């Protein structure tokens, strides 16, 4: 009796996408090995997942785990985060800060090792269409 392993591939449709080179990409020439990691900044929302970050350093979050999404009018990379790239602050938030400008702040469900809810994880990432992205992530737009 042989068992057959069937794999089902489900294609997710893209609801929102933006990508562009970080404005500071030319500065990475002085730390050349990092250049491929930060080559492109991207945000993609499918019907199941939000992905944001850089070419080889991005975060993917299940849409069902997003508690809330809030637009931020202006983020200053130096003043608010101490620079650009992947940043961390004293409040435990993680920033994917590509440029000075608009951003989205999301709260994401976190489970402890026993399956209970912990304090949400907060991410901030630059985004050109903050209102639209927040509507999608909050379930207000398909």
């Amino acid at each position: 009796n042989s068992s057959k392993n069937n794999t089902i591939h489900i294609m997710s449709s893209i609801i929102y996408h933006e990508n562009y080179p970080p404005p500071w990409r030319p500065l990475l020439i002085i730390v050349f090995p990092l250049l491929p990691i930060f080559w492109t900044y991207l945000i993609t929302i499918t019907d199941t997942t939000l992905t944001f970050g850089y070419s080889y350093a991005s975060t993917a979050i299940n849409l069902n785990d997003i508690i809330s999404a809030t637009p931020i009018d202006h983020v200053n990379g130096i003043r608010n985060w101490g620079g650009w790239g992947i940043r961390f602050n004293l409040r435990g938030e993680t920033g994917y800060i590509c440029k000075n400008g608009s951003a989205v702040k999301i709260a994401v469900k976190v489970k402890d090792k026993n399956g209970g809810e912990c304090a949400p994880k907060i991410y901030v990432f630059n985004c050109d269409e903050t209102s639209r992205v927040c509507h999608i992530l909050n379930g207000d737009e398909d």
Side-chain angles (χ1 to χ4, degrees):
N1 187 7
S2 65
S3 64
K4 190 175 183 180
N5 187 3
N6 292 326
T7 304
I8 299 172
H9 296 280
I10 300 172
M11 290 282 290
S12 294
S13 60
I14 294 175
I15 299 169
Y16 179 86
H17 181 75
E18 70 179 68
N19 73 333
Y20 42 85
W24 40 266
R25 184 167 73 182
L27 298 175
L28 289 175
I29 199 71
I30 59 176
V31 282
F32 184 72
L34 295 179
L35 194 57
I37 295 169
F38 295 100
W39 188 256
T40 300
Y41 180 77
L42 63 96
I43 300 165
T44 302
I45 303 172
T46 68
D47 49 3
T48 61
T49 308
L50 163 67
T51 304
F52 56 89
Y54 300 93
S55 300
Y56 293 101
S58 61
T59 296
I61 297 169
N62 186 310
L63 294 183
N64 293 328
D65 292 336
I66 297 174
I67 300 166
S68 65
T70 309
I72 300 173
D73 290 333
H74 187 79
V75 169
N76 181 299
I78 297 293
R79 191 176 313 130
N80 301 127
W81 289 91
W84 296 278
I86 302 170
R87 313 300 295 180
F88 305 94
N89 66 22
L90 297 175
R91 293 183 299 273
E93 300 171 342
T94 302
Y96 284 75
I97 309 303
C98 174
K99 60 185 178 179
N100 293 343
S102 59
V104 171
K105 181 177 187 174
I106 60 170
V108 179
K109 294 178 196 173
V110 177
K111 301 227 184 257
D112 64 21
K113 51 187 162 183
N114 298 322
E117 296 264 336
C118 296
K121 173 73 178 148
I122 304 298
Y123 292 94
V124 174
F125 59 93
N126 286 114
C127 178
D128 288 339
E129 296 184 49
T130 57
S131 293
R132 181 171 177 217
V133 167
C134 286
H135 284 294
I136 294 167
L137 297 179
N138 289 322
D140 300 333
E141 179 181 319
D142 291 334

